[in-house]
Amino acid sequence: MGSLTGRPRKRLSQKQLRELLRAARRQQARKARVGRRRLQRIHDQLPKQVRTIFDPLEPAFSRPIHRRFVLLALAAILTLGGRTITNLLRVLGILAPGHPSSYHRVFSRDRWSLSPLARRYVAAVLARFVPSGTILLAGDDTVTEHPGPHVYGKGRHRDPVRSTHTYTAFRWGHKWVVLTVLVPVPWATRRWALPLLVALYRPKEENLKRGQRHKTPAQLLGQMVRILKRWFPDRSFVVTADGNYASHELAELAARTPRKWTLVSLFYPGANLVEPPPPYSGMGRPRIKGKDLPSPAQVVEKTTQRQTLVVAWYGGGRRRVEVVTGTGLWYKSGRPLVNLRWVFVHDLSGTHRDEYFFTTDATMSVRSLIETYTGRWNIETTFEEVRSYLRVQTTRGWSRDTVLRVGPCLLGLYTIVAWLYAELPGRWSRVRVVDWTGKRDVTFSDAITAVRRWLWLEWVWAIPGHRDAFQKLKPGLRQILLNGLAPAA
C-alpha cells in the first residue's frame, strides 16, 4: 500500500544521520548557552539583599543549578498555592528561562549534596544572627502529610496536633526531626526559632527492610548536635527539647563534653538518682553508684517552704511560679552516671500543670533553667507557620532525592524569609499588614507579606522592560495589583 503523500520516504545514509545528530546537538548546546546567559542576567538583577543571602551557598552547586535553585526559592516565597515545581514555574513565567524539566531536575536528579549546602547555610545564619557567645538551640519533630504508594520514607506517625489524651490520631507522611536556633529579633518580644538542620525519621520496619540501622528521634537530634560541634568547634551550645527527647542516652552524650553543649528537657518525677560511688576499697568489683537519693517527687512532697520566682514563660509572657530544686547523678542500668540539676515548677496562676525540668549543667541557675525550657515553645510556632504560610505539606515529590531535598529546603525557607525581612529598608519593615487591638509584635505573616511585596516591586517590576509598563499604571491600581499578588497572609 502506498503512502498517503504518494511519495516514498527517502532513506538516509549513515553519514547523513551523523550530520543530523551533530546539528541537533549543536542546536541544543546553543539553546543551553542562551539559557545560561539569560539565567545569569536575571541573577545579576536580583536585589542586593537576596544575593547577600544566596551567594555564599553557590559553592555547593554548579553555577546553572545554583541560579535555578535561587529562582525556585524566590518563587516559593512569592507563590500563594502549593509548593510544587510546576506551580512555582507558573509564578516565575518568563523569569525562568530554559526548559521546565531543567527546574524539575534540580531536586530530583541534579548532582549536588545537602551536606555542603547545610554547612554553608548554617555558617551564614549563625554569622548573621548569633556571631558570638553561646548558641541556644531547640529540637523537636513535626509530621507532614504525604500519602502515596511509592513515597520514599513515608510512615504512619502519631499526629500530636490532632491527638488528645483519650484519642490518638495518625497521619501518613514524613516525620522530620528539626534543630532550630533561638534568636532574639528586634521586631518581637519572643525569640524566633529558625530551622538549621533537618533529618528524616524513618520507621523501624522500613529500616529493617532496607538493612539499615534504626535511629530514634533522640538519636537523630544527638547526631545533628554532634555535626554542629564538628563544624564549629569553638562554639558552645545549649539544646532544649521536650519530653520525647528526655532520654538518658542523650543526656549522657551531653555530659561527655559539658563545656561544649548542655541539654535542657523535661524530667521524670520518679527518676533514679544516686550519690557518687565510694572510693575503691581494693577488694571485689568497684561500685558504679553510691547510695540512692530520694526521687524528685519525694523531695517535692517533703518540702514545706518553696522558693517563689517571676520567670519568662511560654509565648513571651511572665509568670509567678514556685520551685523546688535538687541535684544528683541519674542512674540507668548499664549506662554511665549523668550529673544533673532538676527543678520542680508549680504555676501559681493555676493555668499550667506542674512540671519537672532538668539540665546536664548542675551549675545552671533555677531561673535560667526554667526560661531556657519555656523558650523552646517557639519551635512549635515555627512548625505552625511553616505549614500555614510555606505550605510544606503540598509538595508532591515521591523519589528519594526529591523527598530528602525539598522538605529541608522548605523548612530552611522560613529562615530565609526572616533574614530577608531583617534586611529590608525601613519603609518596608515598618508596614504591618494585619493589625488588631493589643498587637505589639511583628508576626511571620507580616514578615512574609512584606518580603513578597518588596520582591514584586524591587525585583520583578524593576527589571528593564517591566518597569515602564508598571509605571504607566495609576498608584491606586498598582496597590490593588500588589494586594492581589501579595495579600495579607
Side-chain angles (χ1 to χ4, degrees):
M1 181 177 178
S3 64
L4 295 177
T5 59
R7 296 181 181 178
R9 190 171 182 178
K10 185 178 179 181
R11 297 176 62 88
L12 299 177
S13 63
Q14 292 293 329
K15 183 178 180 181
Q16 290 173 323
L17 287 174
R18 285 194 296 270
E19 290 295 333
L20 286 176
L21 183 59
R22 292 194 190 99
R25 288 176 176 172
R26 286 194 297 267
Q27 183 180 7
Q28 185 178 7
R30 194 159 47 246
K31 289 182 178 180
R33 286 194 298 269
V34 172
R36 286 195 293 268
R37 285 195 293 267
R38 290 182 60 192
L39 269 175
Q40 187 60 44
R41 283 197 300 268
I42 293 174
H43 183 79
D44 294 338
Q45 293 166 348
L46 291 174
K48 178 182 66 175
Q49 294 88 337
V50 175
R51 299 195 59 176
T52 301
I53 296 174
F54 284 100
D55 282 356
L57 309 180
E58 184 174 353
F61 307 92
S62 65
R63 182 174 296 178
I65 296 176
H66 175 259
R67 303 301 186 252
R68 295 186 181 97
F69 180 84
V70 174
L71 289 178
L72 290 175
L74 296 179
I77 297 176
L78 291 175
T79 187
L80 303 176
R83 264 52 177 192
T84 62
I85 302 298
T86 302
N87 200 33
L88 301 186
L89 294 179
R90 291 193 190 104
V91 174
L92 290 175
I94 61 174
L95 294 179
H99 198 273
S101 63
S102 62
Y103 294 88
H104 286 271
R105 287 196 300 267
V106 170
F107 292 103
S108 62
R109 294 188 179 182
D110 284 342
R111 297 182 62 183
W112 56 277
S113 175
L114 278 173
S115 180
L117 174 63
R119 184 166 188 171
R120 289 172 172 83
Y121 162 77
V122 173
V125 172
L126 295 183
R128 171 60 179 83
F129 291 99
V130 197
S132 60
T134 302
I135 300 173
L136 182 58
L137 303 174
D140 205 349
D141 53 73
T142 183
V143 178
T144 59
E145 189 171 0
H146 199 153
H150 305 294
V151 178
Y152 175 82
K154 178 193 67 173
R156 182 173 175 265
H157 305 289
R158 176 183 175 273
D159 186 0
V161 177
R162 296 185 294 178
S163 298
T164 64
H165 291 290
T166 58
Y167 171 74
T168 301
F170 292 93
R171 178 178 293 187
W172 284 97
H174 297 118
K175 185 174 184 177
W176 300 99
V177 181
V178 185
L179 186 63
T180 65
V181 57
L182 299 174
V183 299
V185 291
W187 59 81
T189 55
R190 67 174 182 88
R191 292 173 178 261
W192 278 31
L194 307 180
L196 287 183
L197 295 177
V198 183
L200 177 63
Y201 169 77
R202 298 177 182 85
K204 188 174 183 179
E205 298 77 12
E206 182 177 345
N207 286 330
L208 291 176
K209 186 188 303 181
R210 297 177 180 271
Q212 298 175 348
R213 182 168 65 92
H214 179 66
K215 296 181 181 178
T216 64
Q219 291 173 334
L220 291 174
L221 182 64
Q223 181 178 346
M224 289 189 287
V225 175
R226 289 197 298 270
I227 290 174
L228 288 182
K229 284 173 50 184
R230 184 170 68 249
W231 288 351
F232 308 98
D234 56 337
R235 304 297 297 271
S236 58
F237 305 91
V238 175
V239 183
T240 176
D242 65 6
N244 293 329
Y245 297 86
S247 66
H248 190 281
E249 181 182 2
L250 197 58
E252 176 190 338
L253 184 63
R256 291 177 187 172
T257 54
R259 296 184 179 180
K260 288 299 181 181
W261 75 286
T262 302
L263 177 65
V264 176
S265 184
L266 290 177
F267 202 41
Y268 305 98
N272 191 2
L273 300 179
V274 298
E275 292 181 349
Y280 182 48
S281 62
M283 297 181 62
R285 293 194 314 174
R287 295 186 61 180
I288 60 175
K289 67 171 185 173
K291 295 181 179 179
D292 291 342
L293 295 175
S295 67
Q298 293 172 341
V299 174
V300 172
E301 184 179 358
K302 295 179 181 178
T303 303
T304 57
Q305 294 183 349
R306 300 177 180 178
Q307 183 183 4
T308 303
L309 296 174
V310 178
V311 297
W313 203 243
Y314 299 99
R318 307 285 295 181
R319 193 64 60 92
R320 191 164 174 263
V321 297
E322 288 182 346
V323 299
V324 177
T325 184
T327 59
L329 297 175
W330 189 10
Y331 171 74
K332 184 178 180 181
S333 178
R335 307 300 303 178
L337 299 176
V338 177
N339 188 26
L340 54 82
R341 171 176 293 278
W342 61 266
V343 174
F344 167 78
V345 181
H346 171 66
D347 179 17
L348 291 177
S349 67
T351 59
H352 200 276
R353 63 180 180 271
D354 296 343
E355 286 185 331
Y356 293 82
F357 305 146
F358 87 96
T359 175
T360 55
D361 182 8
T363 62
M364 181 180 289
S365 66
V366 174
R367 183 187 303 274
S368 178
L369 171 55
I370 298 173
E371 294 181 348
T372 299
Y373 183 81
T374 56
R376 184 207 67 84
W377 186 256
N378 296 313
I379 193 175
E380 305 291 349
T381 305
T382 296
F383 290 156
E384 174 59 29
E385 291 169 338
V386 166
R387 283 191 290 266
S388 300
Y389 304 118
L390 296 179
R391 308 286 295 276
V392 71
Q393 300 185 102
T394 59
T395 61
R396 289 297 174 262
W398 57 269
S399 65
R400 177 184 181 277
D401 287 345
T402 303
V403 169
L404 294 180
R405 290 173 174 179
V406 173
C409 287
L410 276 180
L411 287 164
L413 198 63
Y414 183 93
T415 305
I416 300 300
V417 172
W419 192 346
L420 283 173
Y421 184 77
E423 301 295 332
L424 289 185
R427 66 186 183 93
W428 290 99
S429 59
R430 286 192 297 267
V431 176
R432 293 199 295 186
V433 183
V434 179
D435 214 342
W436 56 82
T437 303
K439 180 179 179 181
R440 297 176 300 171
D441 296 345
V442 173
T443 61
F444 184 76
S445 62
D446 296 327
I448 193 172
T449 302
V451 170
R452 282 170 176 167
R453 296 185 177 184
W454 174 76
L455 284 174
W456 280 114
L457 285 176
E458 301 298 329
W459 175 44
V460 180
W461 291 337
I463 293 177
H466 299 178
R467 185 189 302 113
D468 296 338
F470 182 69
Q471 291 297 332
K472 293 179 181 179
L473 301 177
K474 294 182 178 181
L477 185 58
R478 293 182 204 167
Q479 190 62 36
I480 292 175
L481 182 60
L482 190 61
N483 291 341
L485 292 171

